[in-house]
Amino acid sequence: YIAALPRGTMDLLPLEVLHLIFQGLSPPDLLRCERVSTSWRNTLTEAGKHIWRKPALLYEEIHRSSVHQCGASGLETSSQWHSWLRDRHLTRANWHSGESSVWNLNTNGAIAYFLRFEDDNEDRVIASLSDNTLRVFELESKKAKMLRRFVGHEEDVNCFHVGRSNSGDDVVMTGSSDGQILIWKYSDASRLHAFVPDNLSPVRCVQFDANKIVSSNEAGHILMHDRSTLQEVTFFNKHKNVVDYFEYAGDVLASFSWDRFCFLWDMRVGGGDPVARLKDSYKLYSGQMTGYTIVAAGKGLTVWDARNLSAPQAKMAHNNAVDTYCVQWRPSAQFGDCFVSSGSQGRIDVFFREGESVDTYSMPVHSKRDVYSVRFGERRMVSGSGKLVVCDFNPADAAEDEVEAEGGGYEDVDTDEDEDEDEDEDNEDEDENEDDNEDEDEGMA
């Protein structure tokens, strides 16, 4: 109806009426209204927070899975609500279009096999590397700092899982090609325990909770150990090839194997047959199980609904000749389900699926190198090959020029000796500056 009104009619309405109209609009519509005219933009900009607060909270409710879900609670002024909502909306628009700022974190050639954000904090990323270490990085704008390094494995660190110990401290467990699982105190990278779950077979995945440790290996076995005693409790051995990844929730475990099967297991029944077998056409390298949705990564993505396993719910791929090594997906009320996958030939593929419709694009940011891991959040994506590539989708960073590819942004944590050397250098610089100042004083005299 508004579009059919004569030009300028809305400007004749009292501010109170305009406020009521604007309060009923969705966040994207409010942001579009800002671009209609100067008077509308001024009205929205100068309005009290009652105009912006409601759509901002609505937006937060819709995207409750966001890592910023607590970000709106402390906002007070209209400009704060406005900026928060605008940045949030534009970030999602950048995600949908693929517009981002790309910068690299140099790992000195070490391959990143597995990535996670620290407690969903997109400013900290944890990476298991082919140089036998696990590292924690703090990501700032176009630079990074290594916070901790876990050293103790003799071969590649393929996987890790961070959780809480029974005493309340955060611990991390790492699985390696050396066949060991090491248990560390997360805060200071000190080693607590070590054990060999299955005759030194390379460990491909490890997860744990308060009672058990679950691991899979290259022999195709899935093992469950008691967390307190480290004694084996359950053994699953129906896969015929490498079990690269698994996830479990409650008593159900989904395993993804090179034998082309995804098995669903009842974890209460040790050593039995899987309760369901999902067969794919290719090796399965990774997957995800969330609710009733199971996503398997082989060549492209296969999506299953656990309530109806007679046929896949969907298949998505850019190129069936490309292996898909990693996948992450999350539902989005605005764009539909968002899937991000990484694979061979440097590919990162992004899919937005809503019903039967799929929008997709690729991000060629790894120069044909195999990309073994990817992780994304609300405003940032990190992927790993022989380096870590960071893609920032928030408006301020996405508008900036791309940073030069190799080398930038990697800082080692200073040792005590390094800090002492830095202090000595600073003192020398201060002495030199004092000498220069004395020379200048003499010259002026």
Side-chain angles (χ1 to χ4, degrees):
Y1 296 109
I2 292 176
L5 294 174
R7 182 180 295 274
T9 301
M10 292 290 288
D11 295 334
L12 301 177
L13 296 176
L15 281 177
E16 292 79 5
V17 176
L18 283 176
H19 288 179
L20 290 174
I21 294 173
F22 289 143
Q23 284 184 58
L25 299 181
S26 67
D29 287 338
L30 270 176
L31 295 171
R32 293 187 189 101
C33 285
E34 281 192 315
R35 301 194 293 270
V36 170
S37 67
T38 302
S39 61
W40 282 34
R41 182 170 63 251
N42 292 339
T43 299
L44 285 165
T45 301
E46 297 169 4
K49 72 178 182 181
H50 59 279
I51 285 185
W52 290 104
R53 189 173 188 275
K54 182 178 178 181
L57 290 178
L58 174 63
Y59 201 89
E60 186 175 34
E61 181 69 26
I62 291 173
H63 305 291
R64 187 162 292 276
S65 61
S66 166
V67 297
H68 298 298
Q69 58 184 291
C70 61
S73 58
L75 303 182
E76 295 293 337
T77 67
S78 174
S79 61
Q80 287 177 325
W81 285 104
H82 180 199
S83 298
W84 182 87
L85 182 59
R86 180 180 179 276
D87 287 349
R88 197 171 175 85
H89 175 68
L90 291 179
T91 296
R92 288 192 167 271
N94 287 341
W95 251 112
H96 200 57
S97 65
E99 183 176 347
S100 67
S101 173
V102 181
W103 55 284
N104 295 337
L105 171 55
N106 184 11
T107 58
N108 297 328
I111 298 171
Y113 288 121
F114 196 72
L115 294 170
R116 285 293 184 269
F117 292 121
E118 183 185 86
D119 293 329
D120 289 331
N121 176 5
E122 296 176 43
D123 292 327
R124 288 194 178 181
V125 66
I126 313 169
S128 64
L129 300 169
S130 63
D131 65 357
N132 310 345
T133 69
L134 179 79
R135 303 191 185 201
V136 182
F137 298 97
E138 185 171 45
L139 308 179
E140 298 178 4
S141 179
K142 301 294 189 300
K143 62 180 181 179
K145 179 179 181 179
M146 189 176 70
L147 301 179
R148 285 183 293 282
R149 180 170 57 187
F150 299 76
V151 181
H153 282 291
E154 298 176 1
E155 296 185 43
D156 300 350
V157 179
N158 299 318
C159 55
F160 65 87
H161 186 226
V162 181
R164 190 60 56 87
S165 70
N166 294 330
S167 62
D169 296 324
D170 284 340
V171 297
V172 58
M173 297 190 188
T174 53
S176 168
S177 293
D178 62 16
Q180 297 187 87
I181 293 177
L182 302 185
I183 305 174
W184 315 78
K185 187 175 181 180
Y186 184 68
S187 60
D188 60 9
S190 60
R191 180 169 156 177
L192 303 175
H193 303 287
F195 74 101
V196 177
D198 189 17
N199 298 322
L200 293 177
S201 179
V203 180
R204 303 306 291 252
C205 185
V206 62
Q207 296 181 28
F208 66 91
D209 56 29
N211 302 312
K212 57 185 175 292
I213 303 170
V214 187
S215 62
S216 67
N217 57 37
E218 289 191 3
H221 301 158
I222 302 168
L223 303 100
M224 187 190 308
H225 288 75
D226 183 275
R227 183 168 170 183
S228 299
T229 65
L230 301 181
Q231 297 298 310
E232 183 180 310
V233 176
T234 304
F235 182 82
F236 302 99
N237 64 347
K238 298 301 181 181
H239 279 295
K240 298 179 180 179
N241 211 324
V242 177
V243 179
D244 236 349
Y245 189 71
F246 66 83
E247 285 194 352
Y248 70 88
D251 296 319
V252 179
L253 183 145
S255 56
F256 305 88
S257 171
W258 290 14
D259 62 13
R260 304 183 180 185
F261 278 98
C262 168
F263 287 167
L264 302 183
W265 307 86
D266 185 343
M267 299 179 70
R268 297 167 297 182
V269 183
D273 291 329
V275 297
R277 304 167 184 254
L278 310 179
K279 186 175 182 180
D280 205 276
S281 303
Y282 307 97
K283 289 181 179 180
L284 297 180
Y285 298 99
S286 182
Q288 184 174 333
M289 178 178 66
T290 303
Y292 291 108
T293 301
I294 300 169
V295 185
K299 287 188 183 295
L301 305 177
T302 305
V303 183
W304 300 82
D305 186 333
R307 294 166 294 187
N308 180 13
L309 299 176
S310 58
Q313 190 180 58
K315 285 182 173 288
M316 294 175 288
H318 273 296
N319 184 347
N320 286 330
V322 175
D323 290 328
T324 303
Y325 297 134
C326 184
V327 62
Q328 182 191 353
W329 83 274
R330 55 195 283 182
S332 167
Q334 186 176 8
F335 294 132
D337 292 343
C338 179
F339 301 79
V340 177
S341 65
S342 65
S344 58
Q345 301 181 17
R347 293 189 70 93
I348 296 177
D349 296 327
V350 181
F351 304 87
F352 291 98
R353 183 172 70 97
E354 188 170 10
E356 299 298 323
S357 174
V358 178
D359 294 329
T360 181
Y361 62 84
S362 293
M363 302 184 70
V365 294
H366 281 274
S367 304
K368 300 295 183 181
R369 300 176 182 176
D370 290 349
V371 187
Y372 292 102
S373 53
V374 66
R375 204 69 185 168
F376 75 91
E378 179 75 16
R379 57 186 174 83
R380 172 171 284 164
M381 178 174 67
V382 183
S383 53
S385 56
K387 59 185 177 181
L388 296 183
V389 176
V390 183
C391 299
D392 288 326
F393 292 89
N394 50 310
D397 289 334
E400 296 178 5
D401 292 334
E402 186 173 316
V403 172
E404 185 176 343
E406 293 293 337
Y410 179 77
E411 297 181 15
D412 284 320
V413 175
D414 290 333
T415 63
D416 292 338
E417 294 179 359
D418 293 335
E419 290 176 357
D420 293 339
E421 291 176 2
D422 291 342
E423 289 178 3
D424 293 340
E425 290 176 1
D426 291 340
N427 292 333
E428 290 176 3
D429 291 340
E430 289 177 3
D431 293 339
E432 290 177 1
N433 290 335
E434 289 178 1
D435 294 339
D436 291 340
N437 291 335
E438 290 175 2
D439 294 339
E440 289 179 6
D441 293 339
E442 291 175 2
M444 291 180 67

